[in-house]
Structures are given as structure tokens and as C-alpha cells.
Amino acid sequence: MTKWAHRFSAAAVAAVTITTFFPATAMSAVRSPAASPAREAASQARETDSRSRGTAVNLKVTEKVRHSLADAYWAQYYGPNLRKHHPGTSRRKVDGPKKVYYGKVRSAGKDVYWAVGSIGVKGDPISYQDGPHVWRRSAHGAWSYRGDTGGCLDKAPKALLKLWHLRSYC
């Protein structure tokens, strides 16, 4: 990477690189509505940017949200990874989430919802380790379990952590 490249976003560097070395590809990306590598890089940059900036809003956790978070945890973490090792465990044994912080970040006119809380499976003490856990969902999407944190909350937006008065132990 050159001396000046670190001053620009990854999307800008990718756009210049593609335009310089692959002009036909760059022009087809401009004409085509399909996602190009530069657009994907820009999208990832926007997601990272929205996690660090934007308007944070604290929300009240409802039982429906709590249930959806537990479903996402079960489906994405406990279900596929550990079901074969713990065949007697069912979704009904999911304990939590408890102590849930719930909010959204509004950036560029779009809302992204986030939740941080503790969760585990009754009868499996190891499942309670390394919390709190993080979930994310876009405005009209399903909840996505982002994983446990071990105290390092860099998976959650800084704006919400500040609003919730949570410290990240990274």
C-alpha cells in the first residue's frame, strides 16, 4: 500500500484501483445495477460507520423481542453447533436473555436494531460463559446472533454503548 492510501477509505482506494487497472470493469459497474466489489466495500464501510456514528435511541425490551432474541441464539449458536453433543437439550431450555439493553442506531435514514444481554441454556453451565451476548437486525429483517463478547463489546455500536453507560473490556 502506498503512503497516501491509509488516508482514504477502503471504498475509495478500491474505486481508484478498479478504475485505473480495470476500466472496462469499472464502467460495467457504473452501468450495471448488480453489486460490484467497490459497492460491496462501500456498503461494508457504511455498516462500520453506522456502528460508530449515528443517532442512538434506547428502546424498551418487550417479551416478543426477548423471545426473538432467544430464538436467534438457539438457531444460530446453540442449535447447529451443540445439538449433536447435547441431544436431550431443546429450545425450551434457553434461559434468557436477561439484563437486556435494547436500542437502535439511525444512520442515513435507516434503522439498525441492537441488543446486548446475558443468555444460556439450563443444565449447560458452559453456555453462560463469555457474555454479554450481542444481536443485530435491520429495520425489517430477522434477528442475527452476533456472538458472545467475553466483555469486549466491539461488536455493538459505540453510540449505544455510550447511551447505555456500558464499558467495553477489550
Side-chain angles (χ1 to χ4, degrees), residues 30-63:
V30 171
R31 285 185 225 118
S32 170
S36 67
R39 286 185 189 162
E40 290 178 25
S43 174
Q44 289 174 350
R46 279 193 302 274
E47 180 179 339
T48 302
D49 205 31
S50 71
R51 285 179 40 198
S52 61
R53 289 188 254 162
T55 305
V57 178
N58 192 37
L59 300 172
K60 183 178 178 177
V61 180
T62 64
E63 284 305 311

PDB file of all heavy atoms in Angstrom, residues 30-63:
ATOM      1  N   VAL A  30     -20.644   0.808 -13.192  1.00  0.00           N
ATOM      2  CA  VAL A  30     -21.435   2.029 -13.189  1.00  0.00           C
ATOM      3  C   VAL A  30     -22.748   1.806 -13.916  1.00  0.00           C
ATOM      4  O   VAL A  30     -23.795   2.242 -13.485  1.00  0.00           O
ATOM      5  CB  VAL A  30     -20.646   3.192 -13.848  1.00  0.00           C
ATOM      6  CG1 VAL A  30     -21.526   4.402 -14.060  1.00  0.00           C
ATOM      7  CG2 VAL A  30     -19.441   3.538 -13.008  1.00  0.00           C
ATOM      8  N   ARG A  31     -22.710   1.076 -15.018  1.00  0.00           N
ATOM      9  CA  ARG A  31     -23.913   0.830 -15.816  1.00  0.00           C
ATOM     10  C   ARG A  31     -24.804  -0.240 -15.209  1.00  0.00           C
ATOM     11  O   ARG A  31     -25.994  -0.227 -15.390  1.00  0.00           O
ATOM     12  CB  ARG A  31     -23.508   0.400 -17.228  1.00  0.00           C
ATOM     13  CG  ARG A  31     -23.002   1.530 -18.063  1.00  0.00           C
ATOM     14  CD  ARG A  31     -22.740   1.053 -19.484  1.00  0.00           C
ATOM     15  NE  ARG A  31     -21.459   1.589 -19.905  1.00  0.00           N
ATOM     16  CZ  ARG A  31     -20.400   0.880 -20.231  1.00  0.00           C
ATOM     17  NH1 ARG A  31     -20.448  -0.423 -20.212  1.00  0.00           N
ATOM     18  NH2 ARG A  31     -19.296   1.460 -20.584  1.00  0.00           N
ATOM     19  N   SER A  32     -24.222  -1.206 -14.535  1.00  0.00           N
ATOM     20  CA  SER A  32     -24.970  -2.357 -14.040  1.00  0.00           C
ATOM     21  C   SER A  32     -25.493  -2.119 -12.628  1.00  0.00           C
ATOM     22  O   SER A  32     -24.769  -1.641 -11.766  1.00  0.00           O
ATOM     23  CB  SER A  32     -24.056  -3.589 -14.041  1.00  0.00           C
ATOM     24  OG  SER A  32     -24.665  -4.638 -13.361  1.00  0.00           O
ATOM     25  N   PRO A  33     -26.757  -2.488 -12.361  1.00  0.00           N
ATOM     26  CA  PRO A  33     -27.287  -2.342 -11.007  1.00  0.00           C
ATOM     27  C   PRO A  33     -26.773  -3.434 -10.066  1.00  0.00           C
ATOM     28  O   PRO A  33     -26.988  -3.363  -8.882  1.00  0.00           O
ATOM     29  CB  PRO A  33     -28.801  -2.444 -11.194  1.00  0.00           C
ATOM     30  CG  PRO A  33     -28.969  -3.246 -12.436  1.00  0.00           C
ATOM     31  CD  PRO A  33     -27.786  -2.930 -13.301  1.00  0.00           C
ATOM     32  N   ALA A  34     -26.108  -4.450 -10.581  1.00  0.00           N
ATOM     33  CA  ALA A  34     -25.603  -5.523  -9.733  1.00  0.00           C
ATOM     34  C   ALA A  34     -24.476  -5.006  -8.850  1.00  0.00           C
ATOM     35  O   ALA A  34     -23.801  -4.043  -9.178  1.00  0.00           O
ATOM     36  CB  ALA A  34     -25.086  -6.670 -10.606  1.00  0.00           C
ATOM     37  N   ALA A  35     -24.263  -5.685  -7.744  1.00  0.00           N
ATOM     38  CA  ALA A  35     -23.243  -5.260  -6.779  1.00  0.00           C
ATOM     39  C   ALA A  35     -21.850  -5.503  -7.332  1.00  0.00           C
ATOM     40  O   ALA A  35     -21.544  -6.572  -7.833  1.00  0.00           O
ATOM     41  CB  ALA A  35     -23.424  -6.001  -5.475  1.00  0.00           C
ATOM     42  N   SER A  36     -21.014  -4.503  -7.247  1.00  0.00           N
ATOM     43  CA  SER A  36     -19.625  -4.620  -7.667  1.00  0.00           C
ATOM     44  C   SER A  36     -18.759  -4.694  -6.410  1.00  0.00           C
ATOM     45  O   SER A  36     -19.229  -4.383  -5.321  1.00  0.00           O
ATOM     46  CB  SER A  36     -19.228  -3.412  -8.503  1.00  0.00           C
ATOM     47  OG  SER A  36     -19.220  -2.261  -7.691  1.00  0.00           O
ATOM     48  N   PRO A  37     -17.486  -5.074  -6.552  1.00  0.00           N
ATOM     49  CA  PRO A  37     -16.614  -5.093  -5.374  1.00  0.00           C
ATOM     50  C   PRO A  37     -16.513  -3.722  -4.706  1.00  0.00           C
ATOM     51  O   PRO A  37     -16.467  -3.629  -3.487  1.00  0.00           O
ATOM     52  CB  PRO A  37     -15.259  -5.530  -5.937  1.00  0.00           C
ATOM     53  CG  PRO A  37     -15.589  -6.293  -7.180  1.00  0.00           C
ATOM     54  CD  PRO A  37     -16.820  -5.644  -7.723  1.00  0.00           C
ATOM     55  N   ALA A  38     -16.492  -2.655  -5.508  1.00  0.00           N
ATOM     56  CA  ALA A  38     -16.405  -1.315  -4.930  1.00  0.00           C
ATOM     57  C   ALA A  38     -17.670  -0.996  -4.138  1.00  0.00           C
ATOM     58  O   ALA A  38     -17.611  -0.404  -3.062  1.00  0.00           O
ATOM     59  CB  ALA A  38     -16.186  -0.279  -6.023  1.00  0.00           C
ATOM     60  N   ARG A  39     -18.831  -1.378  -4.682  1.00  0.00           N
ATOM     61  CA  ARG A  39     -20.088  -1.134  -3.967  1.00  0.00           C
ATOM     62  C   ARG A  39     -20.160  -1.955  -2.690  1.00  0.00           C
ATOM     63  O   ARG A  39     -20.648  -1.479  -1.673  1.00  0.00           O
ATOM     64  CB  ARG A  39     -21.283  -1.465  -4.850  1.00  0.00           C
ATOM     65  CG  ARG A  39     -21.524  -0.440  -5.912  1.00  0.00           C
ATOM     66  CD  ARG A  39     -22.776  -0.746  -6.675  1.00  0.00           C
ATOM     67  NE  ARG A  39     -22.880   0.131  -7.822  1.00  0.00           N
ATOM     68  CZ  ARG A  39     -23.653  -0.098  -8.841  1.00  0.00           C
ATOM     69  NH1 ARG A  39     -24.386  -1.185  -8.887  1.00  0.00           N
ATOM     70  NH2 ARG A  39     -23.695   0.742  -9.846  1.00  0.00           N
ATOM     71  N   GLU A  40     -19.698  -3.211  -2.749  1.00  0.00           N
ATOM     72  CA  GLU A  40     -19.693  -4.031  -1.546  1.00  0.00           C
ATOM     73  C   GLU A  40     -18.769  -3.443  -0.494  1.00  0.00           C
ATOM     74  O   GLU A  40     -19.099  -3.415   0.687  1.00  0.00           O
ATOM     75  CB  GLU A  40     -19.278  -5.466  -1.881  1.00  0.00           C
ATOM     76  CG  GLU A  40     -20.331  -6.210  -2.668  1.00  0.00           C
ATOM     77  CD  GLU A  40     -19.891  -7.614  -3.033  1.00  0.00           C
ATOM     78  OE1 GLU A  40     -19.037  -8.183  -2.325  1.00  0.00           O
ATOM     79  OE2 GLU A  40     -20.421  -8.144  -4.019  1.00  0.00           O
ATOM     80  N   ALA A  41     -17.608  -2.953  -0.902  1.00  0.00           N
ATOM     81  CA  ALA A  41     -16.680  -2.318   0.031  1.00  0.00           C
ATOM     82  C   ALA A  41     -17.316  -1.066   0.635  1.00  0.00           C
ATOM     83  O   ALA A  41     -17.195  -0.810   1.832  1.00  0.00           O
ATOM     84  CB  ALA A  41     -15.371  -1.966  -0.665  1.00  0.00           C
ATOM     85  N   ALA A  42     -18.015  -0.299  -0.196  1.00  0.00           N
ATOM     86  CA  ALA A  42     -18.681   0.901   0.303  1.00  0.00           C
ATOM     87  C   ALA A  42     -19.794   0.537   1.280  1.00  0.00           C
ATOM     88  O   ALA A  42     -19.976   1.203   2.296  1.00  0.00           O
ATOM     89  CB  ALA A  42     -19.244   1.713  -0.859  1.00  0.00           C
ATOM     90  N   SER A  43     -20.520  -0.532   0.990  1.00  0.00           N
ATOM     91  CA  SER A  43     -21.584  -0.984   1.884  1.00  0.00           C
ATOM     92  C   SER A  43     -21.014  -1.412   3.234  1.00  0.00           C
ATOM     93  O   SER A  43     -21.568  -1.080   4.284  1.00  0.00           O
ATOM     94  CB  SER A  43     -22.339  -2.146   1.242  1.00  0.00           C
ATOM     95  OG  SER A  43     -23.273  -2.676   2.135  1.00  0.00           O
ATOM     96  N   GLN A  44     -19.902  -2.145   3.202  1.00  0.00           N
ATOM     97  CA  GLN A  44     -19.265  -2.557   4.453  1.00  0.00           C
ATOM     98  C   GLN A  44     -18.751  -1.344   5.221  1.00  0.00           C
ATOM     99  O   GLN A  44     -18.846  -1.291   6.437  1.00  0.00           O
ATOM    100  CB  GLN A  44     -18.122  -3.534   4.180  1.00  0.00           C
ATOM    101  CG  GLN A  44     -18.602  -4.883   3.717  1.00  0.00           C
ATOM    102  CD  GLN A  44     -17.460  -5.786   3.301  1.00  0.00           C
ATOM    103  OE1 GLN A  44     -16.320  -5.357   3.181  1.00  0.00           O
ATOM    104  NE2 GLN A  44     -17.774  -7.051   3.086  1.00  0.00           N
ATOM    105  N   ALA A  45     -18.224  -0.372   4.509  1.00  0.00           N
ATOM    106  CA  ALA A  45     -17.742   0.842   5.162  1.00  0.00           C
ATOM    107  C   ALA A  45     -18.894   1.593   5.820  1.00  0.00           C
ATOM    108  O   ALA A  45     -18.766   2.105   6.921  1.00  0.00           O
ATOM    109  CB  ALA A  45     -17.033   1.747   4.153  1.00  0.00           C
ATOM    110  N   ARG A  46     -20.056   1.632   5.128  1.00  0.00           N
ATOM    111  CA  ARG A  46     -21.219   2.294   5.710  1.00  0.00           C
ATOM    112  C   ARG A  46     -21.695   1.571   6.958  1.00  0.00           C
ATOM    113  O   ARG A  46     -22.081   2.197   7.933  1.00  0.00           O
ATOM    114  CB  ARG A  46     -22.355   2.378   4.683  1.00  0.00           C
ATOM    115  CG  ARG A  46     -22.206   3.518   3.711  1.00  0.00           C
ATOM    116  CD  ARG A  46     -23.485   3.740   2.928  1.00  0.00           C
ATOM    117  NE  ARG A  46     -23.934   2.580   2.190  1.00  0.00           N
ATOM    118  CZ  ARG A  46     -23.542   2.251   0.972  1.00  0.00           C
ATOM    119  NH1 ARG A  46     -22.674   3.001   0.339  1.00  0.00           N
ATOM    120  NH2 ARG A  46     -24.000   1.165   0.378  1.00  0.00           N
ATOM    121  N   GLU A  47     -21.687   0.229   6.947  1.00  0.00           N
ATOM    122  CA  GLU A  47     -22.120  -0.517   8.128  1.00  0.00           C
ATOM    123  C   GLU A  47     -21.190  -0.253   9.299  1.00  0.00           C
ATOM    124  O   GLU A  47     -21.629  -0.008  10.413  1.00  0.00           O
ATOM    125  CB  GLU A  47     -22.172  -2.025   7.850  1.00  0.00           C
ATOM    126  CG  GLU A  47     -22.624  -2.802   9.068  1.00  0.00           C
ATOM    127  CD  GLU A  47     -22.715  -4.286   8.828  1.00  0.00           C
ATOM    128  OE1 GLU A  47     -22.825  -4.709   7.671  1.00  0.00           O
ATOM    129  OE2 GLU A  47     -22.666  -5.011   9.814  1.00  0.00           O
ATOM    130  N   THR A  48     -19.886  -0.253   9.050  1.00  0.00           N
ATOM    131  CA  THR A  48     -18.920   0.042  10.102  1.00  0.00           C
ATOM    132  C   THR A  48     -19.115   1.459  10.605  1.00  0.00           C
ATOM    133  O   THR A  48     -19.093   1.709  11.809  1.00  0.00           O
ATOM    134  CB  THR A  48     -17.483  -0.132   9.581  1.00  0.00           C
ATOM    135  OG1 THR A  48     -17.340  -1.469   9.114  1.00  0.00           O
ATOM    136  CG2 THR A  48     -16.466   0.151  10.659  1.00  0.00           C
ATOM    137  N   ASP A  49     -19.337   2.397   9.674  1.00  0.00           N
ATOM    138  CA  ASP A  49     -19.555   3.782  10.028  1.00  0.00           C
ATOM    139  C   ASP A  49     -20.824   3.934  10.863  1.00  0.00           C
ATOM    140  O   ASP A  49     -20.839   4.663  11.838  1.00  0.00           O
ATOM    141  CB  ASP A  49     -19.650   4.618   8.757  1.00  0.00           C
ATOM    142  CG  ASP A  49     -19.275   6.064   8.997  1.00  0.00           C
ATOM    143  OD1 ASP A  49     -18.428   6.296   9.872  1.00  0.00           O
ATOM    144  OD2 ASP A  49     -19.825   6.933   8.296  1.00  0.00           O
ATOM    145  N   SER A  50     -21.900   3.215  10.503  1.00  0.00           N
ATOM    146  CA  SER A  50     -23.151   3.337  11.242  1.00  0.00           C
ATOM    147  C   SER A  50     -23.026   2.732  12.629  1.00  0.00           C
ATOM    148  O   SER A  50     -23.748   3.110  13.529  1.00  0.00           O
ATOM    149  CB  SER A  50     -24.309   2.678  10.481  1.00  0.00           C
ATOM    150  OG  SER A  50     -24.186   1.281  10.503  1.00  0.00           O
ATOM    151  N   ARG A  51     -22.090   1.792  12.796  1.00  0.00           N
ATOM    152  CA  ARG A  51     -21.885   1.232  14.116  1.00  0.00           C
ATOM    153  C   ARG A  51     -21.173   2.221  15.023  1.00  0.00           C
ATOM    154  O   ARG A  51     -21.330   2.180  16.229  1.00  0.00           O
ATOM    155  CB  ARG A  51     -21.071  -0.064  14.039  1.00  0.00           C
ATOM    156  CG  ARG A  51     -21.896  -1.213  13.524  1.00  0.00           C
ATOM    157  CD  ARG A  51     -21.142  -2.492  13.420  1.00  0.00           C
ATOM    158  NE  ARG A  51     -20.241  -2.699  14.539  1.00  0.00           N
ATOM    159  CZ  ARG A  51     -19.245  -3.547  14.503  1.00  0.00           C
ATOM    160  NH1 ARG A  51     -19.009  -4.248  13.435  1.00  0.00           N
ATOM    161  NH2 ARG A  51     -18.462  -3.704  15.546  1.00  0.00           N
ATOM    162  N   SER A  52     -20.359   3.075  14.460  1.00  0.00           N
ATOM    163  CA  SER A  52     -19.618   4.018  15.280  1.00  0.00           C
ATOM    164  C   SER A  52     -20.301   5.378  15.365  1.00  0.00           C
ATOM    165  O   SER A  52     -20.101   6.101  16.317  1.00  0.00           O
ATOM    166  CB  SER A  52     -18.198   4.175  14.755  1.00  0.00           C
ATOM    167  OG  SER A  52     -18.218   4.660  13.445  1.00  0.00           O
ATOM    168  N   ARG A  53     -21.076   5.760  14.343  1.00  0.00           N
ATOM    169  CA  ARG A  53     -21.764   7.045  14.338  1.00  0.00           C
ATOM    170  C   ARG A  53     -23.245   6.822  14.105  1.00  0.00           C
ATOM    171  O   ARG A  53     -23.674   5.762  13.734  1.00  0.00           O
ATOM    172  CB  ARG A  53     -21.212   7.934  13.239  1.00  0.00           C
ATOM    173  CG  ARG A  53     -19.824   8.409  13.548  1.00  0.00           C
ATOM    174  CD  ARG A  53     -19.413   9.433  12.547  1.00  0.00           C
ATOM    175  NE  ARG A  53     -18.457   8.808  11.641  1.00  0.00           N
ATOM    176  CZ  ARG A  53     -18.149   9.267  10.470  1.00  0.00           C
ATOM    177  NH1 ARG A  53     -18.720  10.335  10.010  1.00  0.00           N
ATOM    178  NH2 ARG A  53     -17.274   8.670   9.726  1.00  0.00           N
ATOM    179  N   GLY A  54     -24.009   7.868  14.272  1.00  0.00           N
ATOM    180  CA  GLY A  54     -25.443   7.802  14.054  1.00  0.00           C
ATOM    181  C   GLY A  54     -26.158   8.206  15.321  1.00  0.00           C
ATOM    182  O   GLY A  54     -25.552   8.422  16.367  1.00  0.00           O
ATOM    183  N   THR A  55     -27.458   8.317  15.213  1.00  0.00           N
ATOM    184  CA  THR A  55     -28.271   8.692  16.348  1.00  0.00           C
ATOM    185  C   THR A  55     -28.697   7.439  17.087  1.00  0.00           C
ATOM    186  O   THR A  55     -29.384   6.581  16.530  1.00  0.00           O
ATOM    187  CB  THR A  55     -29.518   9.468  15.877  1.00  0.00           C
ATOM    188  OG1 THR A  55     -29.082  10.572  15.094  1.00  0.00           O
ATOM    189  CG2 THR A  55     -30.332   9.945  17.046  1.00  0.00           C
ATOM    190  N   ALA A  56     -28.295   7.320  18.330  1.00  0.00           N
ATOM    191  CA  ALA A  56     -28.640   6.159  19.149  1.00  0.00           C
ATOM    192  C   ALA A  56     -29.911   6.443  19.935  1.00  0.00           C
ATOM    193  O   ALA A  56     -30.084   7.530  20.482  1.00  0.00           O
ATOM    194  CB  ALA A  56     -27.499   5.825  20.091  1.00  0.00           C
ATOM    195  N   VAL A  57     -30.799   5.441  19.967  1.00  0.00           N
ATOM    196  CA  VAL A  57     -32.066   5.571  20.678  1.00  0.00           C
ATOM    197  C   VAL A  57     -32.248   4.347  21.559  1.00  0.00           C
ATOM    198  O   VAL A  57     -32.139   3.207  21.084  1.00  0.00           O
ATOM    199  CB  VAL A  57     -33.247   5.670  19.678  1.00  0.00           C
ATOM    200  CG1 VAL A  57     -34.567   5.766  20.419  1.00  0.00           C
ATOM    201  CG2 VAL A  57     -33.065   6.834  18.732  1.00  0.00           C
ATOM    202  N   ASN A  58     -32.509   4.566  22.831  1.00  0.00           N
ATOM    203  CA  ASN A  58     -32.770   3.471  23.754  1.00  0.00           C
ATOM    204  C   ASN A  58     -34.224   3.023  23.586  1.00  0.00           C
ATOM    205  O   ASN A  58     -35.124   3.852  23.460  1.00  0.00           O
ATOM    206  CB  ASN A  58     -32.518   3.926  25.195  1.00  0.00           C
ATOM    207  CG  ASN A  58     -32.484   2.777  26.164  1.00  0.00           C
ATOM    208  OD1 ASN A  58     -31.992   1.706  25.845  1.00  0.00           O
ATOM    209  ND2 ASN A  58     -33.020   2.998  27.349  1.00  0.00           N
ATOM    210  N   LEU A  59     -34.463   1.710  23.580  1.00  0.00           N
ATOM    211  CA  LEU A  59     -35.813   1.170  23.421  1.00  0.00           C
ATOM    212  C   LEU A  59     -36.143   0.227  24.567  1.00  0.00           C
ATOM    213  O   LEU A  59     -35.246  -0.347  25.193  1.00  0.00           O
ATOM    214  CB  LEU A  59     -35.916   0.418  22.090  1.00  0.00           C
ATOM    215  CG  LEU A  59     -35.645   1.220  20.830  1.00  0.00           C
ATOM    216  CD1 LEU A  59     -35.587   0.309  19.613  1.00  0.00           C
ATOM    217  CD2 LEU A  59     -36.700   2.301  20.647  1.00  0.00           C
ATOM    218  N   LYS A  60     -37.420   0.058  24.808  1.00  0.00           N
ATOM    219  CA  LYS A  60     -37.878  -0.864  25.860  1.00  0.00           C
ATOM    220  C   LYS A  60     -37.973  -2.276  25.278  1.00  0.00           C
ATOM    221  O   LYS A  60     -38.512  -2.484  24.193  1.00  0.00           O
ATOM    222  CB  LYS A  60     -39.242  -0.428  26.377  1.00  0.00           C
ATOM    223  CG  LYS A  60     -39.740  -1.291  27.497  1.00  0.00           C
ATOM    224  CD  LYS A  60     -41.060  -0.826  28.026  1.00  0.00           C
ATOM    225  CE  LYS A  60     -41.482  -1.805  29.113  1.00  0.00           C
ATOM    226  NZ  LYS A  60     -42.703  -1.425  29.749  1.00  0.00           N
ATOM    227  N   VAL A  61     -37.461  -3.239  26.029  1.00  0.00           N
ATOM    228  CA  VAL A  61     -37.486  -4.636  25.593  1.00  0.00           C
ATOM    229  C   VAL A  61     -38.860  -5.214  25.884  1.00  0.00           C
ATOM    230  O   VAL A  61     -39.324  -5.190  27.022  1.00  0.00           O
ATOM    231  CB  VAL A  61     -36.418  -5.471  26.341  1.00  0.00           C
ATOM    232  CG1 VAL A  61     -36.448  -6.908  25.876  1.00  0.00           C
ATOM    233  CG2 VAL A  61     -35.056  -4.882  26.160  1.00  0.00           C
ATOM    234  N   THR A  62     -39.508  -5.747  24.851  1.00  0.00           N
ATOM    235  CA  THR A  62     -40.797  -6.410  25.029  1.00  0.00           C
ATOM    236  C   THR A  62     -40.565  -7.918  25.096  1.00  0.00           C
ATOM    237  O   THR A  62     -39.486  -8.412  24.762  1.00  0.00           O
ATOM    238  CB  THR A  62     -41.732  -6.097  23.849  1.00  0.00           C
ATOM    239  OG1 THR A  62     -41.157  -6.650  22.654  1.00  0.00           O
ATOM    240  CG2 THR A  62     -41.948  -4.595  23.688  1.00  0.00           C
ATOM    241  N   GLU A  63     -41.557  -8.651  25.511  1.00  0.00           N
ATOM    242  CA  GLU A  63     -41.440 -10.111  25.558  1.00  0.00           C
ATOM    243  C   GLU A  63     -41.275 -10.696  24.155  1.00  0.00           C
ATOM    244  O   GLU A  63     -40.584 -11.688  23.970  1.00  0.00           O
ATOM    245  CB  GLU A  63     -42.649 -10.734  26.266  1.00  0.00           C
ATOM    246  CG  GLU A  63     -42.599 -10.583  27.765  1.00  0.00           C
ATOM    247  CD  GLU A  63     -41.305 -11.135  28.373  1.00  0.00           C
ATOM    248  OE1 GLU A  63     -40.911 -12.278  28.064  1.00  0.00           O
ATOM    249  OE2 GLU A  63     -40.675 -10.406  29.161  1.00  0.00           O
TER     250      GLU A  63
END
